[in-house]
Amino acid sequence: MRLARPYSGVFRGGATARTGPHALPLARIKKIMKRSAGDGSGGDGTGARMISGEAPVVFSRACELFVAELTRAAWAATLDGKRRTVHREDVAQAVRDTDLFDFLVDVVKDDDAGHEDGGDGVVGAGAGEACDDDGGAL
């Protein structure tokens, strides 16, 4: 008997189906995809005007998996510090310790001298809030 692979349920049924509930809003993902494609990276300089129906679903699932893995690694760093609350430095430690997150080393820095956002421990725009390319909330 053939076993299901981890991504086999993306297009049929379950929490990741096109008609099912999503952790991230598909309209927001589509908007971000169009905005990032508008920089001319499409080759002809015009960007993407149309995005297939499946693309936002796949990106949504990929984002869910990315956030879950980063959260798991940050939680492990929190437990190593014998705490029960995830702090900014736990996320930075997870990024430094995991090869998968090497592309984030420049984005998340663990500087003890002070943080740009006032030191409240929140990375980015705000808790649960997406930000655009300029760092502002969407």
Side-chain angles (χ1 to χ4, degrees), residues 14-30:
T16 58
R18 185 174 175 173
T19 58
H22 300 279
L24 301 171
L26 295 181
R28 175 80 48 97
I29 291 173
K30 201 171 191 179

Side-chain angles (χ1 to χ4, degrees), residues 57-119:
V57 176
V58 173
F59 273 93
S60 174
R61 182 66 179 146
C63 289
E64 290 174 29
L65 293 171
F66 171 75
V67 169
E69 183 61 26
L70 183 59
T71 303
R72 187 204 56 76
W75 180 248
T78 301
L79 293 179
D80 287 343
K82 295 179 175 55
R83 288 178 279 109
R84 302 282 296 168
T85 304
V86 178
H87 294 284
R88 178 184 188 125
E89 51 271 3
D90 298 324
V91 176
Q93 183 69 36
V95 168
R96 279 194 311 270
D97 292 348
T98 308
D99 292 339
L100 181 67
F101 302 128
D102 281 346
F103 68 98
L104 291 174
V105 170
D106 294 336
V107 177
V108 180
K109 294 185 180 179
D110 187 15
D111 54 342
D112 294 327
H115 301 296
E116 297 172 343
D117 60 357

